[in-house]
Amino acid sequence: MSTTITTPVPAIISIRGLTKAYGTFTVLHGIDLDIAEGEVVCVIGPSGSGKSTLIRCINHLEPFSADSTITVDGIRVAPGKALAKVRAEVGMVFQSFNLFPHMTVLKNVMLAPMRVRGTVKADAERKARDLLARVGIGEQAEKFPAQLSGGQQQRVAIARALAMEPRVLLFDEPTSSLDPEMVGEVLDVMRKLAGTGVTMIIVTHEMGFARQVADRVIFMDSGRLVEAGTPEQIFDSPRQERTRSFLRAVLNH
């Protein structure tokens, strides 16, 4: 069962009829979704349900069917000049860090503001150092990514995304490739971000984190939006049997 999920306030992200297929296999089935500015949304569901594909479509890292519509702050997401504007406003943090190994941590964070926004080097460096301190690794600025732990690298990736001053941050299972003892440090950074007013869409398997930080939790299954609501509603009294069975499996694991 798929459902239309809207917000009572103007949406910064609006998705209508989002369909994505790989050959004959349909990954997303006509999804409708609105995300309000400043909202923190956690997307949960079984592996293969289309969660990561959904958020990768928002900045067109995944192309989608021509009859689908995604707008970000009123700009339609489509190949062309407008896409650069969208990507300048939408930061993304991946499962696997995607840092440049030949650059120091500091230069990784400085790069995009200088190249995309034209920030002068001194300003980019000052801001990068501030952001690295904010995520708790200011003392690692001159190191290379390979010299850091996985948790530290993911915090660099978050600082790099923040350096562009995005209006929207997308997180694609940011803790899934980390050793268990490193998960907490990344989630702590994300908890602090959740209170800053930036719009966040987080694909996560961390149910306790979703309950704690989300304004809304969305449950996906088989490429469809099955149910959405407050964390209390979704985790304590889900309406759909598929949501209940998923939560029974993951919370009793």
Side-chain angles (χ1 to χ4, degrees):
M1 176 181 176
S2 192
T3 186
T4 300
I5 300 175
T6 60
T7 71
V9 295
I12 188 169
I13 297 172
S14 185
I15 299 171
R16 291 293 179 271
L18 178 59
T19 301
K20 167 70 180 178
Y22 296 104
T24 59
F25 178 66
T26 301
V27 185
L28 299 174
H29 298 267
I31 286 175
D32 296 328
L33 175 65
D34 287 339
I35 306 291
E37 185 158 17
E39 192 175 19
V40 178
V41 175
C42 285
V43 185
I44 65 171
S47 296
S49 59
K51 306 182 300 296
S52 294
T53 303
L54 170 64
I55 65 166
R56 289 173 65 88
C57 286
I58 292 172
N59 56 4
H60 214 268
L61 290 178
E62 290 281 358
F64 44 84
S65 66
D67 56 351
S68 307
T69 302
I70 301 177
T71 59
V72 177
D73 197 23
I75 303 171
R76 183 163 181 171
V77 177
K81 291 182 179 179
L83 186 56
K85 292 182 180 179
V86 170
R87 288 179 172 169
E89 301 299 332
V90 179
M92 188 151 188
V93 179
F94 300 88
Q95 297 177 32
S96 54
F97 324 139
N98 288 7
L99 301 175
F100 292 109
H102 63 288
M103 291 185 179
T104 64
V105 163
L106 182 66
K107 288 183 177 178
N108 264 281
V109 179
M110 291 170 59
L111 183 64
M114 291 175 63
R115 287 205 176 166
V116 178
R117 297 212 187 274
T119 305
V120 299
K121 184 177 180 181
D123 290 343
E125 180 173 347
R126 181 167 56 250
K127 183 171 184 179
R129 289 189 184 278
D130 287 346
L131 286 169
L132 289 169
R134 181 175 166 188
V135 300
I137 50 171
E139 74 284 357
Q140 310 291 344
E142 306 304 333
K143 291 185 178 179
F144 290 88
Q147 297 175 281
L148 305 184
S149 70
Q152 289 172 326
Q153 288 186 61
Q154 192 61 291
R155 285 187 279 168
V156 174
I158 293 171
R160 180 182 59 183
L162 290 171
M164 286 290 288
E165 298 181 354
R167 296 185 64 190
V168 177
L169 272 175
L170 308 175
F171 293 86
D172 185 8
E173 299 186 22
T175 60
S176 65
S177 63
L178 300 178
D179 291 335
E181 66 268 23
M182 297 177 185
V183 170
E185 64 188 59
V186 173
L187 294 181
D188 283 344
V189 170
M190 293 172 64
R191 284 188 188 96
K192 292 173 185 174
L193 282 178
T196 64
V198 65
T199 305
M200 297 169 64
I201 308 177
I202 306 163
V203 173
T204 184
H205 290 293
E206 302 289 340
M207 298 299 139
F209 171 78
R211 179 189 281 270
Q212 183 179 27
V213 306
D215 297 309
R216 266 194 305 167
V217 175
I218 291 172
F219 173 66
M220 289 185 67
D221 185 47
S222 301
R224 292 178 170 86
L225 303 185
V226 176
E227 185 168 359
T230 65
E232 293 76 18
Q233 178 197 321
I234 295 299
F235 289 109
D236 297 336
S237 53
R239 290 187 291 265
Q240 302 296 327
E241 174 55 34
R242 182 65 188 97
T243 314
R244 290 193 289 270
S245 65
F246 170 77
L247 291 172
R248 278 196 300 269
V250 298
L251 296 177
N252 294 332
H253 184 65

